Amino acid sequence: MQKDIFQRIIDREIPSTIIYEDDKTIAFLDINPHTKGHFLVVSKEFSENLFDIEDDDLINLILTARKLALSQIEKLNAKGFRLEINSGIAAGQEIFRTHVHIIPYYDD
Ligand code: 5GP
């Protein structure tokens, strides 16, 4: 089976700006950011999206995403953030490996 692009980032086969990693998750800057500091949090255990992710993996992913969002938002001096998980082609999902978008928002 061919590796998905996020697995290739996990395996350091393609470059990315990694901002966090532990044994279950990895977080890196989105290559095409909606706003400054937009990053993605990816579960290392494979699933496609919210349709098939295991409960434990989802809980861990969301808790990590919130923790990283709070620390990055403070670093960036952002005022808030949006957390997004696209699930399915109809919802605009492009990469079929569960990931959370953290999109910071600023005053201006
Ligand atoms: P989706 O629509 O699947 O929720 O979003 C996938 C996201 O992955 C997009 O925002 C896109 O910019 C990002 N992306 C796609 N390929 C790469 C890549 O090779 N490196 C990084 N850092 N981000 C990527």
Side-chain angles (χ1 to χ4, degrees), residues 5-6 9 14 16 28-32 34 38 40 86 92-95 99 101:
I5 199 147
F6 291 165
I9 288 175
I14 55 174
S16 69
F28 49 86
L29 295 182
D30 195 295
I31 205 167
N32 185 22
H34 293 196
H38 174 183
L40 305 173
N86 299 324
Q93 184 176 10
E94 290 171 5
I95 307 290
H99 57 279
H101 292 256

Side-chain angles (χ1 to χ4, degrees), residues 26 41 46 50-53 58 67 76-78 102 106:
I26 188 166
V41 189
F46 182 80
L50 287 182
F51 285 99
D52 67 336
I53 191 169
L58 178 60
K67 180 179 76 176
L76 292 162
N77 203 24
I102 309 287
Y106 302 86

Side-chain angles (χ1 to χ4, degrees), residues 10-78:
I10 292 167
D11 293 343
R12 308 303 200 266
E13 290 174 5
I14 55 174
S16 69
T17 306
I18 294 170
I19 59 174
Y20 176 83
E21 185 169 24
D22 62 29
D23 57 333
K24 293 193 171 132
T25 48
I26 188 166
F28 49 86
L29 295 182
D30 195 295
I31 205 167
N32 185 22
H34 293 196
T35 65
K36 185 175 69 139
H38 174 183
F39 67 98
L40 305 173
V41 189
V42 178
S43 187
K44 289 186 178 177
E45 188 66 33
F46 182 80
S47 60
E48 285 201 339
N49 52 38
L50 287 182
F51 285 99
D52 67 336
I53 191 169
E54 296 286 342
D55 288 356
D56 285 354
D57 293 332
L58 178 60
I59 290 164
N60 181 67
L61 184 63
I62 295 294
L63 291 177
T64 303
R66 186 180 73 149
K67 180 179 76 176
L68 295 178
L70 298 181
S71 62
Q72 289 298 112
I73 263 46
E74 199 179 317
K75 265 190 211 159
L76 292 162
N77 203 24

Side-chain angles (χ1 to χ4, degrees), residues 82-101:
R82 182 174 296 163
L83 187 152
E84 205 175 277
I85 306 177
N86 299 324
S87 294
I89 292 174
Q93 184 176 10
E94 290 171 5
I95 307 290
F96 281 78
R97 185 191 187 102
T98 310
H99 57 279
V100 182
H101 292 256

